[in-house]
């Protein structure tokens, strides 16, 4: 269940980012990462994708320092 929920939240977070709803997108992406990290087996490519979306969202919010962490 964590893997499916995490993957779905990741896609929704990316959609909210594209629509300009950065705060909602950020929340979904952070939840996505938590769920993907709990999933067994861990899927590094999905985690990397969520991190990429989250970095883009942080950049759009002006949190440039967070994009390189």
């Amino acid at each position: 269940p964590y893997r499916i929920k995490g993957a779905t939240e990741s896609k929704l977070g990316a959609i909210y980012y594209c629509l300009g709803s950065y705060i909602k997108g950020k929340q979904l992406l952070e939840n996505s990462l938590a769920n993907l990290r709990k999933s067994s087996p861990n899927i590094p490519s999905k985690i990397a994708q969520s991190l990429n979306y989250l970095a883009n969202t942080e950049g759009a919010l002006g949190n440039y320092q967070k994009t390189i962490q």
Side-chain angles (χ1 to χ4, degrees):
Y2 290 118
R3 183 177 51 184
I4 294 169
K5 187 173 182 183
T8 303
E9 288 172 331
S10 178
K11 295 295 183 185
L12 284 172
I15 290 168
Y16 276 102
Y17 165 77
C18 290
L19 293 173
S21 296
Y22 304 125
I23 301 293
K24 181 65 176 172
K26 179 181 173 183
Q27 292 169 344
L28 285 164
L29 290 164
E30 288 172 342
N31 290 341
S32 166
L33 284 168
N35 284 313
L36 289 171
R37 287 180 174 142
K38 285 189 240 178
S39 72
S40 181
N42 217 321
I43 304 172
S45 62
K46 293 286 185 192
I47 292 172
Q49 187 177 47
S50 287
L51 284 169
N52 186 46
Y53 291 146
L54 184 57
N56 290 338
T57 303
E58 291 287 6
L61 289 168
N63 302 329
Y64 304 113
Q65 195 62 30
K66 287 187 176 184
T67 64
I68 57 173
Q69 292 178 343

